[in-house]
Amino acid sequence: MHGLNTPQREAIQYMDGPCLVLAGAGSGKTRVITTKIASLIEEHGYEAKNIAALTFTNKAALEMQERIAKLLTDPKQAKHLTVSTFHSLGVKILRQEAQALGLKDRFSIMDSDDCFSIVQDLAVTTDKQLIRRIQNAMSLWKNALVDPDTALRNAIDEDEAQAARIYASYVATLSAYQAVDFDDLIRLPVELFRNNEQVRDKWQRKLRYLLVDEYQDTNTCQYELVKLLVTGPGKKPMFTAVGDDDQAIYAWRGATIENLKQLQVDFPDLRVIKLEQNYRSSTRILQAANAVIGNNPKLFEKALWSEHGLGDPIKVVAMQDDDQEAEQVAILISAHKFERRAKFSDYAILYRGNHQARVIEQALRRERIPYTISGGQSFFDRAEIKDIIAYLRLIANEDDDPAFIRAVTTPKRGVGQSTLETLGAFAGQWQCSLFEAVFKGGLEAKLAERQLTPLREFCNFINHLETHAHREGHAATLLDEMMKEINYEAYLYDNFDDRQAQSRWQNVIDFTMWLKEKGSGGKDGNDDERSLLDLTQMVALMSMLEGKDEEPDAVRMSTLHASKGLEFPHVFLVGVEEGILPHKGDPDAPVDTLAARIEEERRLMYVGITRAQRSLHVTWCKRRKRAREYINCDISRFIKEMKLDEGDAVPTEDEIISPQDRLANLKALLQKPRAA
């Protein structure tokens, strides 16, 4: 408890029932969660295996578990905790209770790309935007626990009705494949607990205390799972939810702030504890954040405060256009870094949408400023890398149905959707994988020879590689043989223009070379030699190629959504104008929908402001390039809502620096003593 403030101690020590901790930005919520878990084990007699802490990213879960281990007398106990995302807990439940849901034990989990292909075939279209819209609609329906029949009944137009009909076919297709998608990982446990009291009671006894991080980001389905885990006949609800209604910024993906309201209705004895002391930002920054968010209706009144002093003035600069904005931000970072003797990694450039990044990247490159992009595509998420990984996954585990589907159809080898659906239904009857079903007797009666032959040829090829993988294990030899046989380079040049094909093929070469290097023990030979099977398992656990490297000394570029949970000494918040922040949305939306959207955009502005620790620059453009034309822009209402003193905000144009002025300033700085 050393160093904790009074509300933090209260949140940790309260053990008499349900508890909601309203944790403002930078108020030490992770410390409260980790210390409370340690207290449950050390002081209240809970076994680690009976405690679950749920959050929204694997990275946050890993960091939380590591911090808990440091607090425990016996750090090994942390390994017995369930510290995971909602979806990881869902997988754990489904793996153990698959039979109760009519799933085989080794059911498959389809990723977004796998599901895209299914929807594409069901919708009979190649319009990628339409397919993504249908996928998004289905995801929102699942997260709101809306089944296909209800979705069809409630459809407001033919487009929505068509999406609902595809939804029904999509659910049937996944069932035939004995597969689930990402949203099913939470939806299916909810259905199971609703319909099977025995299974629900088993999991309630297993997870006796529940902690939920980022509670404001839960959707209907996630909240229902929480309720089902903590409530029951004669059971006292024991949980702590930690969240902040002012940072609810994910309504577009199904999260609902109504869950915060509903918590008080469903749990009348709920203890509400507010964490308002901010340990991150200066007073000026918090005053601006409080002023902005004060324009939203409040579920709970709270105001952040800090002991870090007044801090630097917040600087608001109007730019002529987005080219000038990008150039000036790059110059300002370079000058500010020199003056403060700071690192590049002390700086972040935050923006509303990814489309704003390109011109900023160009300016940073011109100024030779290193940068990284948050929320960008992981190396392992590139289609060409996922194609190769699918083969590796299948060699390692022939029961991996999504890997089978991707590998058998990429490159094309005469296996279409109707063949796979027939195979999936046949595998479902036998309760086996798609791979195993290919060699089952009786399949000949379901598929014509022209459909069956390419399937068996493919499976024989995988069996051959698997045999060699077990016998020899040399990654380099097997990789070379695999790449030669699948002829992936020719596939790329057949399906993409030369430039795209060359870029994708280079990525594949880089990936296979990296695998070979890892397989041989690394560049310096310090690691043990790994087989192809070992490498495949390693790849499956890594989220990106450089995943374990230290953070580089580089400016962080990020969307506002991706910046949540991060903090930086110096922040540049760019493009703060009407139509971008707040985002324009649908101008024909009903008034109540429009008001809700503006409130969420205001919370996004609040998140952006509160990422800053010591200094904050806010920029907006008088005009912005759209296609080949310029459009006039207006300053965002949110800048006015910051209620900056005249001495805080830099007057328009005052910070525009010419290259000549910049050189003079740098020379002057060399004569100045180092700034505090």
Side-chain angles (χ1 to χ4, degrees):
M1 296 292 177
H2 178 71
L4 294 168
N5 62 39
T6 301
Q8 288 175 329
R9 285 196 184 94
E10 182 186 359
I12 291 163
Q13 293 171 340
Y14 183 73
M15 293 296 301
D16 293 331
C19 179
L20 172 61
V21 180
L22 288 168
S27 62
K29 68 179 179 66
T30 304
R31 187 176 181 190
V32 167
I33 293 171
T34 54
T35 308
K36 185 156 192 172
I37 291 172
S39 177
L40 284 165
I41 295 170
E42 303 278 3
E43 298 174 11
H44 295 280
Y46 280 82
E47 291 189 50
K49 66 181 181 181
N50 297 137
I51 301 170
L54 303 179
T55 187
F56 279 81
T57 68
N58 290 317
K59 181 181 179 182
L62 180 62
E63 289 175 354
M64 195 177 290
Q65 191 147 18
E66 289 173 348
R67 288 174 67 169
I68 294 165
K70 292 176 182 177
L71 294 172
L72 294 172
T73 306
D74 178 7
K76 292 180 181 178
Q77 289 189 80
K79 294 180 179 179
H80 301 295
L81 292 164
T82 298
V83 183
S84 71
T85 63
F86 273 90
H87 292 91
S88 294
L89 176 62
V91 171
K92 189 175 181 179
I93 294 169
L94 292 181
R95 290 292 182 206
Q96 293 188 33
E97 312 298 343
Q99 190 174 1
L101 283 160
L103 290 169
K104 62 186 181 185
D105 292 341
R106 302 186 74 172
F107 63 86
S108 300
I109 302 169
M110 311 287 267
D111 68 14
S112 181
D113 284 353
D114 299 326
C115 298
F116 182 95
S117 299
I118 295 172
V119 176
Q120 184 176 34
D121 287 334
L122 294 173
V124 195
T125 180
T126 56
D127 184 338
K128 291 186 177 180
Q129 287 188 328
L130 174 59
I131 296 167
R132 293 294 183 203
R133 283 199 299 272
I134 294 170
Q135 276 190 289
N136 185 58
M138 294 192 304
S139 178
L140 292 174
W141 280 324
K142 286 190 175 188
N143 288 332
L145 296 171
V146 175
D147 61 42
D149 290 340
T150 304
L152 185 57
R153 281 198 306 273
N154 295 340
I156 58 175
D157 55 33
E158 179 52 33
D159 286 345
E160 197 166 297
Q162 178 62 12
R165 286 190 284 269
I166 291 170
Y167 179 26
S169 300
Y170 172 80
V171 169
T173 301
L174 285 189
S175 179
Y177 284 172
Q178 282 282 296
V180 300
D181 66 15
F182 197 60
D183 298 311
D184 288 331
L185 299 179
I186 303 171
R187 182 184 67 86
L188 289 176
V190 166
E191 288 188 4
L192 176 63
F193 289 164
R194 280 177 169 180
N195 300 324
N196 192 319
E197 189 65 38
Q198 185 178 357
V199 173
R200 178 182 171 188
D201 181 65
K202 168 187 166 183
W203 281 89
Q204 285 185 345
R205 282 184 280 108
K206 183 176 290 193
L207 304 177
R208 292 177 52 216
Y209 200 98
L210 192 65
L211 300 99
V212 184
D213 190 17
E214 303 287 7
Y215 176 76
Q216 77 281 347
D217 294 335
T218 56
N219 58 40
T220 300
C221 196
Q222 288 162 334
Y223 178 43
E224 188 66 18
L225 181 62
V226 170
K227 282 199 299 182
L228 288 165
L229 283 169
V230 301
T231 60
K235 178 179 173 60
K236 187 176 186 178
M238 296 299 289
F239 70 88
T240 296
V242 182
D244 182 8
D245 49 328
D246 292 334
Q247 296 187 74
I249 58 173
Y250 292 112
W252 52 275
R253 70 180 189 195
T256 172
I257 201 169
E258 294 298 316
N259 285 349
L260 275 165
K261 294 180 186 177
Q262 194 60 36
L263 203 61
Q264 293 178 298
V265 176
D266 293 336
F267 301 95
D269 297 331
L270 184 74
R271 171 73 69 92
V272 178
I273 300 168
K274 300 176 185 177
L275 305 184
E276 297 172 287
Q277 182 175 356
N278 176 284
Y279 293 92
R280 174 187 300 159
S281 307
S282 66
T283 296
R284 274 194 174 107
I285 290 168
L286 295 182
Q287 286 173 341
N290 287 334
V292 169
I293 206 65
N295 290 277
N296 271 2
K298 287 287 195 177
L299 282 177
F300 304 94
E301 287 294 336
K302 70 176 186 303
L304 297 179
W305 60 277
S306 169
E307 294 180 340
H308 286 327
L310 197 58
D312 294 352
I314 294 173
K315 299 181 179 181
V316 178
V317 191
M319 304 292 183
Q320 290 298 327
D321 55 39
D322 36 355
D323 285 327
Q324 187 188 54
E325 179 181 54
E327 177 188 356
Q328 290 302 309
V329 166
I331 290 174
L332 284 168
I333 287 175
S334 185
H336 195 273
K337 174 184 178 292
F338 185 87
E339 180 181 2
R340 301 297 180 100
R341 308 296 194 267
K343 298 180 294 184
F344 282 119
S345 57
D346 291 336
Y347 294 84
I349 303 171
L350 308 181
Y351 37 83
R352 177 62 177 82
N354 280 312
H355 66 278
Q356 295 169 261
R358 184 184 60 82
V359 65
I360 298 171
E361 284 190 77
Q362 291 172 344
L364 293 177
R365 285 198 293 267
R366 283 195 299 271
E367 290 294 318
R368 300 181 185 278
I369 295 175
Y371 64 90
T372 60
I373 299 182
S374 288
Q377 188 181 44
S378 158
F379 184 80
F380 286 137
D381 282 339
R382 298 177 189 273
E384 60 273 18
I385 304 303
K386 291 178 84 168
D387 288 342
I388 304 306
I389 289 174
Y391 282 87
L392 300 179
R393 283 167 50 191
L394 195 56
I395 292 167
N397 174 20
E398 64 181 34
D399 288 341
D400 189 336
D401 286 349
F404 176 89
I405 292 167
R406 187 171 194 125
V408 81
T409 56
T410 312
K412 298 288 184 185
R413 47 174 56 83
V415 178
Q417 189 69 31
S418 62
T419 300
L420 288 173
E421 284 190 17
T422 302
L423 180 63
F426 185 76
Q429 291 173 359
W430 283 95
Q431 284 288 293
C432 65
S433 68
L434 298 175
F435 191 98
E436 186 180 347
V438 170
F439 296 106
K440 285 280 186 186
L443 186 59
E444 294 86 353
K446 306 284 186 180
L447 292 173
E449 186 177 347
R450 60 180 176 76
Q451 294 173 295
L452 190 55
T453 299
L455 280 174
R456 288 187 170 164
E457 287 177 349
F458 170 77
C459 290
N460 285 328
F461 165 60
I462 296 297
N463 278 332
H464 168 74
L465 290 176
E466 184 184 2
T467 300
H468 280 261
H470 282 293
R471 186 181 303 159
E472 299 171 13
H474 298 308
T477 305
L478 285 165
L479 276 170
D480 288 342
E481 182 180 355
M482 184 184 85
M483 296 307 298
K484 179 181 177 182
E485 287 296 323
I486 65 178
N487 203 12
Y488 193 77
E489 183 179 11
Y491 158 77
L492 289 175
Y493 280 95
D494 286 344
N495 287 275
F496 302 97
D497 62 50
D498 285 355
R499 186 176 176 183
Q500 278 187 304
Q502 185 177 6
S503 173
R504 288 172 182 247
W505 180 240
Q506 186 59 52
N507 286 335
V508 171
I509 291 172
D510 292 345
F511 175 60
T512 53
M513 290 298 293
W514 175 79
L515 278 177
K516 290 176 183 179
E517 180 185 301
K518 289 290 183 184
S520 63
K523 286 181 180 178
D524 45 17
N526 290 332
D527 297 332
D528 292 335
E529 187 170 314
R530 295 185 178 100
S531 70
L532 191 61
L533 300 178
D534 294 332
L535 291 176
T536 303
Q537 291 169 353
M538 180 188 70
V539 168
L541 293 172
M542 292 180 67
S543 59
M544 56 189 301
L545 195 57
E546 305 84 9
K548 294 191 176 180
D549 289 351
E550 292 183 5
E551 288 290 323
D553 183 23
V555 173
R556 177 75 67 92
M557 292 178 59
S558 173
T559 63
L560 285 164
H561 283 100
S563 74
K564 190 160 165 292
L566 304 177
E567 57 185 44
F568 306 91
H570 311 292
V571 168
F572 285 76
L573 187 49
V574 302
V576 187
E577 58 221 38
E578 292 293 311
I580 293 182
L581 186 63
H583 192 261
K584 61 185 177 182
D586 181 3
D588 299 322
V591 175
D592 58 342
T593 304
L594 184 62
R597 180 176 60 77
I598 294 298
E599 288 169 15
E600 175 143 336
E601 292 291 305
R602 187 174 284 116
R603 293 193 290 270
L604 201 54
M605 178 73 176
Y606 174 84
V607 166
I609 294 171
T610 54
R611 298 312 93 196
Q613 296 171 305
R614 293 170 58 189
S615 75
L616 175 64
H617 287 74
V618 181
T619 66
W620 67 282
C621 296
K622 295 179 179 179
R623 62 176 191 164
R624 192 169 287 273
K625 195 178 292 182
R626 287 286 182 271
R628 296 184 179 181
E629 298 181 355
Y630 281 98
I631 60 168
N632 292 326
C633 305
D634 295 319
I635 188 171
S636 170
R637 69 193 78 183
F638 299 152
I639 291 179
K640 298 174 184 177
E641 290 176 1
M642 292 169 76
K643 296 182 179 177
L644 300 175
D645 295 334
E646 288 186 11
D648 287 353
V650 174
T652 300
E653 308 289 353
D654 271 16
E655 263 207 16
I656 305 301
I657 303 175
S658 70
Q660 294 80 8
D661 289 339
R662 180 190 175 208
L663 183 60
N665 288 347
L666 290 175
K667 287 180 178 178
L669 284 171
L670 288 172
Q671 310 304 317
K672 286 177 60 177
R674 180 172 177 172

